[in-house]
Amino acid sequence: MLAADPGASIASIATEAGVDRRTVYRRFASREDLLAAIYASRLEAIEIAIEDARLREAPVAVALHRYVENIIAVNRAWPVDLARMLADDTVRARRDASVREVAAFLERATNEGLLRSDLPDGWANALLPQLMHLVSRHMPELSPARAADVVVDTLLRGLGTP
């Protein structure tokens, strides 16, 4: 609900969940506490996805596909934008650490020849999250594995014909 309507009320969230709003308030003192819990869960899922992909030690192509597949699953399970919480120093630090980890991996992918080195700095960093976002939202019929195939193929080969 919050992904579709960030201003959704606790009462409407409770109704959608099939519980009384008092039940929600017993667990979360305020709407902000509920949002913080959602964002914390999304951050934790992202961190687990990155760790599971083994970006530092797995073969680059394997790690790339695994990372993309994992993040697509996270995007679908937690379809909320972390940008609303970046004013919180802890959230920002955790998000920035994840961004740095992926940036280092994409640099490794470039150094090992999987990604082109003649593109502007940061291009893969900017493009990859957008591709994952698009497939997560606009192709829900694809499994995370198949969606990752589409993203990785697009990233590595583009849309043009050979």
Side-chain angles (χ1 to χ4, degrees):
M1 282 188 74
L2 290 167
D5 176 13
S9 69
I10 291 287
S12 62
I13 292 168
T15 300
E16 183 70 20
V19 299
D20 187 79
R21 72 183 173 89
R22 291 176 297 205
T23 302
V24 176
Y25 277 116
R26 273 195 294 275
R27 178 88 191 252
F28 305 102
S30 67
R31 186 174 187 288
E32 290 72 31
D33 287 348
L34 172 61
L35 286 172
I38 290 168
Y39 293 125
S41 294
R42 178 174 168 79
L43 275 170
E44 182 179 353
I46 289 169
E47 292 162 348
I48 290 168
I50 289 170
E51 184 179 322
D52 181 65
R54 299 179 50 232
L55 299 180
R56 294 175 190 227
E57 59 272 354
V60 174
V62 172
L64 176 62
H65 194 281
R66 183 69 178 227
Y67 167 72
V68 171
E69 183 176 346
N70 290 347
I71 294 298
I72 288 167
V74 169
N75 287 347
R76 289 177 175 170
W78 301 99
V80 293
D81 183 11
L82 286 175
R84 293 176 51 113
M85 291 295 291
L86 292 180
D88 180 298
D89 290 339
T90 303
V91 171
R92 180 180 293 280
R94 287 177 69 189
R95 195 282 317 252
D96 289 351
S98 294
V99 168
R100 283 190 303 275
E101 185 78 18
V102 174
F105 168 72
L106 292 173
E107 184 176 331
R108 176 180 163 222
T110 301
N111 293 340
E112 291 187 20
L114 188 69
L115 298 175
R116 289 175 35 198
S117 61
D118 63 332
L119 295 170
D121 287 344
W123 182 240
N125 262 346
L127 185 58
L128 183 56
Q130 296 302 317
L131 291 172
M132 292 186 297
H133 174 79
L134 285 170
V135 78
S136 296
R137 302 294 192 276
H138 298 289
M139 298 182 163
E141 71 281 1
L142 298 181
S143 70
R146 179 66 185 115
D149 291 343
V150 171
V151 168
V152 170
D153 185 64
T154 301
L155 183 70
L156 298 181
R157 292 176 189 74
L159 297 175
T161 58

